[in-house]
Amino acid sequence: MPTRTARTAWNGTLEQGSGQVELSSSKAGTFEVNFPKRAADEAGGTTSPEELVAAAHSACFAMQLSANIAQAGGTPQALEVSADVSLGPDQANGGFRLTGITLTVRGEVDGLDAAGFEKAAQEAKAGCPVSKALAGVEITLDAALDS
């Protein structure tokens, strides 16, 4: 399997500095980052490490879930996955840490009932490589079939 690369160019201090995150392997884009917008309620067109983790986690989970659904005998027609990643103080070590991740998935699936979908989703939460990498963070799941 290949190694993927992203790079960040940063200038200045934490409080007044800023940077650009480049998705180097895919060349899909370059995104602005800075701490004031990272800590603000409104991102205003600037991304953050937490948003990038959320993007990686939602994509990884969706891929793993589609594989699990097929393995359980179902056919995924559509999966809508969001990941909410929270940042907060690190009481034990100082600074900040990821304090929680909520995965939410709604799916249109042929061949699985709600219980089968929930089981496939729980297994995807445990089995996706990004979930495994984030094992030190509490990850919760809200999974349901669309009616």
Side-chain angles (χ1 to χ4, degrees), residues 3-9 20-31 33 47 49 52-53 56:
T3 298
R4 301 294 185 215
T5 304
R7 121 189 193 324
T8 300
Q20 298 79 39
V21 175
E22 173 189 86
L23 304 181
S24 305
S25 300
S26 65
K27 308 251 186 279
T30 300
F31 305 93
V33 292
T47 194
L52 296 168
V53 167

Coordinates of all heavy atoms in Angstrom, one line a residue, residues 3-9 20-31 33 47 49 52-53 56:
T3 N 2.2 5.2 0.6 CA 2.3 6.2 1.7 C 1.8 7.5 1.1 O 2.1 7.9 -0.1 CB 3.7 6.4 2.1 OG1 4.2 5.2 2.7 CG2 3.8 7.5 3.2
R4 N 0.9 8.2 1.8 CA 0.4 9.5 1.3 C 1.0 10.6 2.1 O 1.4 10.5 3.3 CB -1.2 9.5 1.5 CG -1.9 8.5 0.8 CD -1.7 8.7 -0.7 NE -2.6 7.7 -1.4 CZ -2.2 7.1 -2.6 NH1 -1.1 7.5 -3.1 NH2 -3.0 6.3 -3.2
T5 N 1.1 11.8 1.5 CA 1.9 12.9 2.1 C 1.1 14.2 2.1 O 0.4 14.5 1.0 CB 3.2 13.1 1.4 OG1 3.9 11.9 1.4 CG2 4.0 14.2 2.0
A6 N 1.1 14.9 3.2 CA 0.6 16.3 3.3 C 1.8 17.1 3.9 O 2.6 16.5 4.6 CB -0.6 16.4 4.1
R7 N 1.8 18.3 3.6 CA 2.9 19.2 4.1 C 2.3 20.5 4.5 O 1.3 21.0 4.0 CB 4.0 19.3 3.1 CG 4.3 20.6 2.6 CD 5.3 20.6 1.4 NE 5.8 21.9 1.1 CZ 5.3 23.1 1.2 NH1 4.1 23.2 1.7 NH2 6.0 24.1 0.9
T8 N 2.9 21.1 5.6 CA 2.4 22.4 6.1 C 3.6 23.4 6.1 O 4.7 23.0 6.6 CB 1.8 22.3 7.5 OG1 0.7 21.4 7.4 CG2 1.4 23.7 8.0
A9 N 3.4 24.5 5.5 CA 4.4 25.6 5.6 C 3.8 26.6 6.6 O 2.7 27.1 6.4 CB 4.6 26.3 4.3
Q20 N -0.1 27.1 5.5 CA -0.8 26.5 4.4 C -0.6 25.0 4.4 O 0.6 24.6 4.5 CB -0.4 27.0 3.0 CG -0.6 28.5 2.8 CD 0.4 29.4 3.5 OE1 1.6 29.0 3.5 NE2 0.0 30.4 4.1
V21 N -1.7 24.2 4.4 CA -1.6 22.7 4.4 C -1.8 22.3 2.9 O -2.8 22.7 2.3 CB -2.7 22.1 5.3 CG1 -2.6 20.6 5.1 CG2 -2.5 22.5 6.7
E22 N -0.8 21.6 2.4 CA -0.9 21.1 1.0 C -1.1 19.6 1.0 O -0.4 18.9 1.7 CB 0.4 21.4 0.3 CG 0.5 20.8 -1.1 CD 1.9 21.0 -1.6 OE1 2.7 20.1 -1.4 OE2 2.1 22.0 -2.3
L23 N -2.1 19.1 0.3 CA -2.3 17.7 0.1 C -1.4 17.3 -1.0 O -1.7 17.4 -2.2 CB -3.8 17.4 -0.2 CG -4.8 17.9 0.8 CD1 -6.2 17.5 0.4 CD2 -4.5 17.4 2.2
S24 N -0.2 16.9 -0.7 CA 0.9 16.7 -1.6 C 0.7 15.5 -2.5 O 1.0 15.6 -3.7 CB 2.2 16.6 -0.9 OG 2.4 17.7 0.0
S25 N 0.3 14.4 -2.0 CA 0.2 13.2 -2.8 C -0.8 13.4 -3.9 O -0.6 13.0 -5.1 CB -0.2 12.0 -2.0 OG 0.8 11.8 -1.0
S26 N -2.0 13.9 -3.6 CA -3.1 14.0 -4.5 C -3.1 15.3 -5.3 O -3.7 15.4 -6.4 CB -4.4 13.9 -3.8 OG -4.6 15.0 -3.0
K27 N -2.4 16.3 -4.8 CA -2.4 17.6 -5.4 C -3.8 18.2 -5.4 O -4.2 19.0 -6.3 CB -1.8 17.6 -6.8 CG -0.4 17.0 -6.8 CD 0.7 18.0 -7.0 CE 2.1 17.4 -7.2 NZ 2.7 17.0 -6.0
A28 N -4.7 17.7 -4.5 CA -6.1 18.1 -4.5 C -6.3 19.5 -4.0 O -7.4 20.1 -4.2 CB -6.9 17.1 -3.6
G29 N -5.3 20.1 -3.3 CA -5.5 21.5 -2.9 C -4.6 21.9 -1.8 O -3.9 21.1 -1.2
T30 N -4.6 23.2 -1.5 CA -3.9 23.8 -0.4 C -4.8 24.6 0.4 O -5.7 25.3 -0.2 CB -2.7 24.7 -1.0 OG1 -1.9 23.9 -1.8 CG2 -1.9 25.4 0.1
F31 N -4.7 24.5 1.7 CA -5.7 25.1 2.6 C -5.1 25.9 3.7 O -4.0 25.5 4.2 CB -6.6 24.0 3.2 CG -7.2 23.1 2.2 CD1 -6.5 21.9 1.8 CD2 -8.4 23.4 1.6 CE1 -7.1 21.1 0.8 CE2 -8.9 22.6 0.6 CZ -8.3 21.4 0.2
V33 N -4.5 27.6 7.4 CA -4.7 27.2 8.8 C -4.1 28.4 9.6 O -3.1 29.0 9.3 CB -4.0 25.9 9.1 CG1 -4.6 24.7 8.5 CG2 -2.5 25.9 8.8
T47 N -9.2 26.0 7.5 CA -9.4 24.7 8.0 C -8.6 24.6 9.3 O -7.9 25.5 9.8 CB -9.0 23.6 7.0 OG1 -9.5 22.3 7.5 CG2 -7.5 23.5 6.7
P49 N -6.5 21.3 12.0 CA -6.2 19.8 12.1 C -7.4 19.0 12.4 O -7.5 17.9 11.9 CB -5.1 19.8 13.2 CG -4.5 21.2 13.1 CD -5.6 22.1 12.8
L52 N -9.4 18.4 9.3 CA -8.7 17.4 8.5 C -8.8 16.0 9.0 O -9.0 15.0 8.3 CB -7.3 17.8 8.3 CG -7.1 19.2 7.5 CD1 -5.7 19.7 7.6 CD2 -7.6 19.1 6.1
V53 N -8.8 15.8 10.3 CA -9.0 14.5 11.0 C -10.4 14.0 10.7 O -10.6 12.9 10.4 CB -8.6 14.5 12.5 CG1 -9.1 13.3 13.2 CG2 -7.2 14.7 12.7
A56 N -10.7 12.8 7.1 CA -10.0 11.5 7.0 C -10.9 10.4 7.7 O -11.1 9.3 7.1 CB -8.6 11.5 7.6

